[in-house]
Amino acid sequence: MDESVKEIEYISGQLKVGEIVTYQDISHQFGATYKKSKVILYNFYKSNKSNFVGQFIINGVIEGSTVIKFIESEKLIEEAVEKFDKIDEIYCYSVTPKTEFSLKDFAIHNQKNVINTDNLNYYHKLGLIKGPELVPVTSFKTSKLTVAEPTKTSTTTKEVSTKPKKEKTIGLMSNYVSRKQKPADTAGSKRAADPPKYQYKSRKLENKKPEKVVVSNDLEADEFDEFDDMEVDTPAPSVPAPKTKLSDIFNDDDDDEEDITEGQKEENTKIQESEQEEAIPEPEAETKEASVEPQVEPEPEAESETQEPQEPQYDEEGYLITYNTKKPKSKPKPKPRTTTETKTEIKQPVKSAVKVTKDKKSKQPSVMSFFGKKK
Amino acid sequence: MGYQDYINLSVEDELIERKEVSVVSEYDKQNDFSLESSGRRYDRQFFTMYQARLNELKTRVDSRAMKQWGNGTIKRDNKVISKVDKILNITSNQLCWVSGTIFVDLKNKLNIFNDVEKGIDDVLPQIPKSYISSEGTDDKVIMLEDESGRAILHGDDKLKDQLFVTGAIVAVLGIELQAGIFEMIEIIHPEIAPIRPMNPKSNSKIAFVSGLEISDSVNYDFKIDLLKEFFQNNPKSKDISHLVIAGNSIKETDQDIGEEYVSNNNYGSKNISKFNDKSLKLFEVFINEIISNCNISIMPGPSDPTDICLPQQPLHRSFFVNNKNYVGNNIRSLTNPSWLEIDSIRMLGTSGQNIDDIVKYLSPEDLQNKDILLKIMKSTINWQNIAPTAPDTLYCYPFENNDPFTLTNETPKVYFIGNQNEFKSELVNVNNENMLLLTIPKFNQCGQLVLLDTVDLSVEIIKFET
C-alpha cells in the first residue's frame, strides 16, 4: 500500500474534482501495470465505499458464451453474478463520485486515454497484449491496388484505353477523379488535368491582372473540368504551335454541350465582369497586343482584343472615345469606378461589350466548327 | 460465494503475446471488386453485366440439367423430357426444360417510371423495407427470361421452399399448360465452383465484428470501449490473430428523410455531408486502439463514407488519419464485397447489402423461418452469385461484360455477411468440402464479437453487455 500513495492521492484528487477514475487512468498516469492499477482502485473503493460509487466488469460464461459485463454499481453486482454460469474474474473498472454518471460519460472520459502507437513498448509493460509490429507502408504500396486492377478484369482496362478515343461523353463520367490522380502536377492549384497547365503558367508569369483570372476560372473549375479546358484553350490560337494540342484536347472532351457552355461562359463573364474586364483589355490593345494575349483568360476576350483594333475603324463612336480615356488605365480596376470619368467610360464599354458579344457569338461557332473538323 | 471471491483473480501481469497468423499480402481475387480510381463510367447499360452472368452460368446450369434431365433420353411420368434452347421456343403441353434468368416483379420495387411520373426522379429514392406490398404476396410474378423472351413461372407447393429473386440463373423443368405460363416441376442451379481446401499453419482465431456505428461523443456506445479493452488486455483475446470489421463502422448523421425520397438536397452545393467530423475522429481513435495490438481488415458498409453502389470501394486512407501509413500492412482497407485469405482460409464476405436486399423479396411467412438468413446465404451459393439482385434492386456499378458477383471458378471456404440482426453459423457440405456460412450481428445492437477457429472452423461469440 505504501507504494500506491501517489496513486491514491491521484484518485481522491480526481474524484474531488468530479472526474471518473478508471484503472487505465492510473496505469497511464503512473506507469503501473493494469493488474496493479485494478488492485489499487479496488482497495481504494473498498475503504471509501460510503463516499464513492464503484463500477465493475465481470468476465465469465453464460450459456456457453463468453460474456463481458459492465456493472454500473456494486449494488447490481450480486444480481448479475447469479446469471453467470461461470465467472473468471471480476475487477473494479472505475470509481466515480456519487453524482449520476451515464455510460456516455464513461465513453467520453475514455477518449482521453488514447494509446500512443509510437511508444508501444511502454504500454506492453503496463499489460497491453503485444500484437504484430506496426509496419508503415511506403507510398508505393498503395499503388499496388490500382496496378492490380487492370489485370483482373479486361473490361476495366478497356475502359481506360478507350477513354481518350471516345468522342461523345454523355456526361456521367467522373471527371472528378482526374484531379485526384494528378494532384502533384497541379501543385496546389485546384485546376484539373494537364492541358490547362500551360496557360495558367503563362498567366502567372504576367502578374498584372491575375485576380479576375482566378475568379472566373474557379467558378467554372468547380463545376466542370471540361469547361476549363475550353477556356484554357482560348489563348492558344494566338500562338501557332498549340493548335495541335488544342485539337487533341477537344478530341478528348468532345461534347455537344460545349458550344452551349462556352456561350454561357461568355455571357456570364460579360454579365459579371463586362464592365471591368472589357475596360481593361482595351488600353492593353493599344499599348501592346502581345502583352494582352496572355493576360486575358478566355477565348472570347482574346478574340475581342484582336477584334478591337479593327472595330474602331468600323465603329464611329464607342471605341475612339474609350481609347482616349483609357490610356491611363494601366491602373487597377477600382480606380476607374470611383472617378466620374469612368462612369461615362463604363457606359460606353457596355455598349461595346454588347457589340463584342455579338461578334463573339458569330465567331464561336466558327471556332467550334474548326475543332469539329479536326475530329 | 460473494463477488469478492472473484475479485482480481487474473494472474499477475506478464507480457502476453498475441498469436500471429499468416496473411499474404497478395492473393487470388484480391482485387476482384476493385474499381479503377479514374475513368469510371456510369452511363452504361446493365445489359452486358446480365449477359456476362448468363454466359458464365448458363453453361454450368445447362450441363447439370443435361445430366439430370437429358434431351429426349429421360422420361418423367411417361413423357419424354426435351431441352428447349430458347424460352420463345417452348411449345404447349410439352415436358421440357429451359434455362434463363429469373425476374421477379413486385409491387413495391422501385420503378424509375413512377419516379418520373411523380417528378422525383432526380432525387435518391427511399428504398422500401419490403418489395412485397402490405396486402400480400398475390402481386408477386416470377418470370424466366433470356434474350428471346419471358415466360411466367408457376409452381406447386413443392417449390415453395425455393427462393426466387431477380438475377438468379436457373434451369426449369416444366410444361406450358397455358400460353406464356410455364408450370414448374423441378429447378436446377448451376454447378458449384470448387472450394479450395485450407491448410492452416497456426491455431488461432479470426474475429469478426460489424455495425460498430461509431458516432459522436454524445451517442458513443460504451460497448465499443469494452471491445477495445478486451483486445488490449484481456488474456482471452490473445488467441485472436486478426480482426475483420465487416461494414458500418461509422454512423451517419440523421438525415432529412421523406416518405418517398431520402433528401431533396442530394446534388450540387446543397449536398450536405452525412457524417460529422467527431464520429470520424472517434473512428480513427478506435482503429488506433485496436491496431496497437491486432491487425485488422476493414470493409465499408452502407453507412460508411464511401460509394453507395456495390462494390463499395475501400475506405480512403485519410480516414485513418495518424495511422494511414499502416494502411496496407496492419490495416487492410478492403472493398465490399471482398475476398480474404487468412492462414490459407479463403473467405468471401459482404457487409450485408446483398442479403438485406433479398430479404425484401420474401413474404412474411418466409421471414418467420429462424434460419432464413442462412437459407438465403445457401441460395446465393446455389445460384453461384452473391448479389443476384444487383443491379435490379441493389445499387451496383455498371460493369461492362463482367459480373464480379458471380462465383466463376471458386466458392469460398468461409462466406460471411455483416450487419445482421443475429449471429448464425452453419457448416454445410458443398462438393464434399465443408463450407462455413456466418452471419455477423450488428455490434451496436447485439454487442457481439464472432470468433472463428482457423483449424476446425468452429465458431464462438463474445458478448459485451452494459
Side-chain angles (χ1 to χ4, degrees):
Chain A
M1 291 294 290
D2 295 337
E3 296 174 358
S4 58
V5 173
K6 289 181 184 176
E7 286 86 338
I8 290 171
E9 286 178 356
Y10 168 78
I11 296 168
S12 57
Q14 290 293 102
L15 291 171
K16 277 183 184 176
V17 184
E19 285 284 324
I20 297 168
V21 181
T22 67
Y23 75 89
Q24 288 174 330
D25 291 335
I26 299 167
S27 289
H28 293 167
Q29 189 73 21
F30 298 99
T33 63
Y34 292 138
K35 168 74 178 177
K36 186 179 179 184
S37 298
K38 289 174 185 174
V39 173
I40 292 171
L41 194 61
Y42 178 67
N43 289 336
F44 176 87
Y45 174 71
K46 260 201 316 187
S47 52
N48 297 280
K49 276 185 182 180
S50 55
N51 300 324
F52 305 109
V53 180
Q55 290 78 38
F56 294 82
I57 286 182
I58 306 174
N59 282 338
V61 178
I62 299 177
E63 296 176 353
S65 296
T66 299
V67 175
I68 295 167
K69 186 167 181 62
F70 178 79
I71 308 294
E72 293 185 59
S73 168
E74 189 189 10
K75 295 174 186 175
L76 306 172
I77 199 167
E78 291 291 355
E79 182 185 351
V81 164
E82 290 177 2
K83 294 178 182 175
F84 277 79
D85 302 327
K86 178 191 169 192
I87 293 176
D88 296 323
E89 184 189 20
I90 298 174
Y91 59 86
C92 185
Y93 178 80
S94 59
V95 177
T96 63
K98 281 210 160 181
T99 50
E100 287 285 324
F101 280 89
S102 67
L103 290 176
K104 290 171 188 173
D105 296 321
F106 286 98
I108 292 169
H109 174 82
N110 284 339
Q111 289 160 23
K112 300 172 187 171
N113 281 325
V114 179
I115 288 178
N116 179 6
T117 52
D118 294 332
N119 190 19
L120 286 178
N121 286 334
Y122 170 74
Y123 295 97
H124 292 153
K125 291 175 185 174
L126 302 184
L128 178 73
I129 292 175
K130 186 180 180 183
E133 189 179 352
L134 289 173
V135 182
V137 178
T138 59
S139 59
F140 297 101
K141 190 153 187 175
T142 56
S143 65
K144 279 185 177 178
L145 286 173
T146 56
V147 171
E149 289 169 16
T151 59
K152 80 151 192 184
T153 55
S154 59
T155 56
T156 53
T157 55
K158 285 177 184 176
E159 291 165 9
V160 175
S161 62
T162 54
K163 189 183 172 186
K165 296 175 183 176
K166 290 176 180 175
E167 296 180 352
K168 293 180 181 179
T169 57
I170 298 173
L172 293 176
M173 281 189 62
S174 54
N175 301 323
Y176 186 80
V177 184
S178 64
R179 294 182 185 171
K180 287 184 178 178
Q181 268 196 331
K182 300 175 181 177
D185 296 338
T186 55
S189 66
K190 292 179 179 178
R191 286 142 197 147
D194 292 333
K197 287 182 188 174
Y198 305 105
Q199 288 105 14
Y200 284 122
K201 286 180 182 176
S202 66
R203 290 174 188 172
K204 287 178 182 176
L205 290 175
E206 298 180 359
N207 295 327
K208 291 182 180 180
K209 296 161 186 176
E211 296 176 354
K212 293 177 181 178
V213 176
V214 171
V215 171
S216 62
N217 284 331
D218 284 345
L219 288 172
E220 292 163 355
D222 289 338
E223 296 176 357
F224 300 104
D225 293 340
E226 295 174 356
F227 299 167
D228 285 342
D229 297 337
M230 297 295 290
E231 284 186 359
V232 171
D233 295 338
T234 58
S238 62
V239 183
K243 285 182 180 177
T244 54
K245 294 179 182 177
L246 281 174
S247 62
D248 293 338
I249 292 165
F250 280 100
N251 284 336
D252 292 342
D253 298 332
D254 282 347
D255 276 348
D256 296 334
E257 297 175 355
E258 287 179 356
D259 294 341
I260 300 167
T261 55
E262 276 196 2
Q264 291 175 347
K265 282 184 179 180
E266 292 174 0
E267 292 176 2
N268 291 334
T269 54
K270 286 170 187 173
I271 292 167
Q272 295 174 355
E273 303 174 358
S274 60
E275 294 180 358
Q276 297 178 353
E277 288 185 352
E278 290 177 355
I280 292 162
E282 289 171 359
E284 291 170 353
E286 290 181 356
T287 55
K288 292 178 181 179
E289 292 180 356
S291 63
V292 171
E293 292 174 356
Q295 290 175 352
V296 177
E297 310 165 5
E299 283 183 354
E301 291 181 0
E303 292 174 355
S304 67
E305 290 165 1
T306 56
Q307 293 168 0
E308 285 169 1
Q310 296 175 351
E311 289 176 352
Q313 296 175 355
Y314 299 104
D315 294 336
E316 298 170 354
E317 298 176 355
Y319 278 95
L320 289 173
I321 296 169
T322 54
Y323 286 128
N324 291 332
T325 57
K326 288 179 181 175
K327 285 180 181 176
K329 281 182 184 173
S330 59
K331 297 176 183 177
K333 306 169 186 177
K335 290 182 179 179
R337 289 180 181 175
T338 55
T339 58
T340 55
E341 292 179 357
T342 53
K343 290 180 180 176
T344 58
E345 291 171 356
I346 290 169
K347 290 178 181 176
Q348 292 168 348
V350 170
K351 294 177 182 177
S352 66
V354 175
K355 295 174 182 177
V356 171
T357 55
K358 290 176 181 176
D359 294 335
K360 288 172 187 173
K361 286 178 181 175
S362 64
K363 284 187 176 180
Q364 279 185 345
S366 67
V367 171
M368 290 310 296
S369 63
F370 169 77
F371 291 114
K373 288 176 183 176
K374 293 215 166 186
K375 294 173 186 175
Chain B
M1 287 176 74
Y3 82 89
Q4 292 86 353
D5 298 328
Y6 300 103
I7 285 285
N8 296 327
L9 286 182
S10 64
V11 184
E12 183 57 47
D13 295 279
E14 54 187 12
L15 182 61
I16 303 173
E17 293 197 32
R18 186 174 300 287
K19 285 190 177 178
E20 291 198 21
V21 69
S22 73
V23 182
V24 288
S25 58
E26 293 184 7
Y27 51 91
D28 191 20
K29 299 185 182 297
Q30 183 176 11
N31 297 322
D32 261 20
F33 299 100
S34 299
L35 298 174
E36 295 283 348
S37 58
S38 64
R40 295 183 201 168
R41 296 285 304 271
Y42 290 88
D43 55 352
R44 287 194 292 248
Q45 297 292 319
F46 289 102
F47 166 73
T48 63
M49 186 179 164
Y50 276 123
Q51 193 66 29
R53 183 184 301 176
L54 185 64
N55 290 342
E56 169 63 30
L57 295 178
K58 187 176 169 63
T59 53
R60 284 159 62 181
V61 74
D62 282 355
S63 68
R64 200 171 173 187
M66 186 61 80
K67 288 176 190 171
Q68 190 157 336
W69 296 327
N71 184 12
T73 56
I74 298 174
K75 283 187 175 180
R76 183 74 57 92
D77 296 334
N78 293 326
K79 287 187 176 179
V80 177
I81 300 172
S82 59
K83 181 192 175 188
V84 176
D85 291 330
K86 294 179 180 177
I87 291 171
L88 201 63
N89 295 340
I90 295 174
T91 52
S92 296
N93 298 317
Q94 182 188 13
L95 185 65
C96 62
W97 66 270
V98 64
S99 58
T101 308
I102 295 284
F103 178 79
V104 179
D105 195 14
L106 290 166
K107 191 175 182 182
N108 282 1
K109 281 172 74 174
L110 293 179
N111 188 333
I112 184 65
F113 296 116
N114 292 341
D115 295 342
V116 172
E117 187 180 4
K118 294 175 182 174
I120 55 170
D121 56 303
D122 59 342
V123 295
L124 192 63
Q126 190 70 263
I127 298 175
K129 291 181 180 177
S130 173
Y131 300 130
I132 293 176
S133 65
S134 55
E135 291 87 36
T137 59
D138 293 341
D139 56 348
K140 190 175 192 175
V141 180
I142 303 169
M143 288 171 269
L144 188 72
E145 69 176 5
D146 63 9
E147 58 271 21
S148 70
R150 279 181 181 177
I152 294 174
L153 296 179
H154 187 265
D156 57 13
D157 293 341
K158 283 192 295 183
L159 296 170
K160 273 197 170 181
D161 289 340
Q162 296 274 351
L163 297 182
F164 292 95
V165 298
T166 298
I169 310 290
V170 296
V172 183
L173 172 68
I175 186 166
E176 187 186 54
L177 298 179
Q178 302 174 37
I181 299 178
F182 196 65
E183 291 288 337
M184 294 184 288
I185 298 173
E186 280 182 37
I187 285 184
I188 280 182
H189 298 113
E191 288 175 339
I192 294 179
I195 296 174
R196 290 191 198 179
M198 62 181 205
N199 183 24
K201 294 175 182 174
S202 67
N203 182 7
S204 67
K205 295 183 187 300
I206 300 167
F208 295 85
V209 70
S210 69
L212 292 169
E213 297 201 354
I214 296 172
S215 64
D216 56 13
S217 302
V218 178
N219 300 309
Y220 191 85
D221 186 359
F222 183 64
K223 290 197 294 288
I224 294 172
D225 280 355
L226 297 181
L227 176 65
K228 285 193 293 190
E229 193 207 27
F230 173 74
F231 270 88
Q232 286 172 356
N233 59 42
N234 192 317
K236 279 190 173 180
S237 76
K238 71 180 186 343
D239 290 340
I240 298 173
S241 55
H242 200 88
L243 172 65
V244 177
I245 302 175
N248 286 6
S249 305
I250 302 168
K251 189 174 186 179
E252 290 180 342
T253 55
D254 294 332
Q255 296 293 301
D256 176 22
I257 297 175
E259 290 183 0
E260 294 180 333
Y261 50 85
V262 177
S263 169
N264 57 359
N265 289 334
N266 292 310
Y267 305 105
S269 60
K270 290 180 179 178
N271 191 358
I272 301 167
S273 173
K274 295 176 181 175
F275 306 93
N276 73 44
D277 56 343
K278 289 178 183 175
S279 57
L280 296 176
K281 176 65 182 170
L282 289 175
F283 165 73
E284 190 259 333
V285 169
F286 172 79
I287 296 296
N288 180 82
E289 301 286 288
I290 296 296
I291 66 162
S292 67
N293 61 87
C294 187
N295 287 347
I296 63 170
S297 294
I298 182 165
M299 297 162 57
S303 77
D304 288 322
T306 181
D307 319 45
I308 289 178
C309 298
L310 289 183
Q312 289 184 294
Q313 296 306 291
L315 288 172
H316 195 275
R317 59 199 295 270
S318 299
F319 288 119
F320 303 99
V321 197
N322 295 326
N323 298 303
K324 63 184 176 185
N325 288 336
Y326 303 124
V327 175
N329 274 348
N330 302 87
I331 302 170
R332 295 186 163 230
S333 190
L334 305 174
T335 57
N336 168 38
S338 186
W339 281 87
L340 294 89
E341 184 174 326
I342 300 176
D343 205 3
S344 82
I345 302 174
R346 300 279 296 173
M347 297 187 279
L348 174 62
T350 80
S351 295
Q353 294 102 317
N354 55 337
I355 301 300
D356 293 344
D357 194 57
I358 291 173
V359 166
K360 294 174 183 174
Y361 282 76
L362 304 182
S363 65
E365 294 79 35
D366 292 329
L367 296 176
Q368 284 178 358
N369 182 351
K370 291 180 181 177
D371 294 326
I372 188 64
L373 291 176
L374 292 173
K375 185 177 178 181
I376 294 172
M377 292 179 75
K378 284 181 209 169
S379 297
T380 58
I381 295 301
N382 286 332
W383 296 324
Q384 287 289 283
N385 191 301
I386 59 169
T389 59
D392 183 34
T393 48
L394 189 59
Y395 293 138
C396 163
Y397 178 76
F399 290 95
E400 188 172 33
N401 298 318
N402 179 33
D403 177 24
F405 307 115
T406 298
L407 302 174
T408 53
N409 56 6
E410 182 184 0
T411 301
K413 184 74 177 176
V414 176
Y415 177 35
F416 64 90
I417 305 293
N419 299 297
Q420 300 305 305
N421 291 327
E422 58 182 341
F423 162 76
K424 289 281 180 185
S425 73
E426 184 177 351
L427 210 56
V428 296
N429 189 296
V430 176
N431 291 348
N432 297 322
E433 275 279 348
N434 283 332
M435 175 188 180
L436 181 68
L437 307 177
L438 206 57
T439 65
I440 317 296
K442 297 172 187 171
F443 186 82
N444 70 330
Q445 287 183 9
C446 307
Q448 293 178 350
L449 178 75
V450 178
L451 303 185
L452 168 68
D453 191 292
T454 56
V455 174
D456 58 8
L457 296 184
S458 62
V459 182
E460 63 176 304
I461 58 172
I462 309 285
K463 291 180 184 173
F464 299 89
E465 296 180 358
T466 53

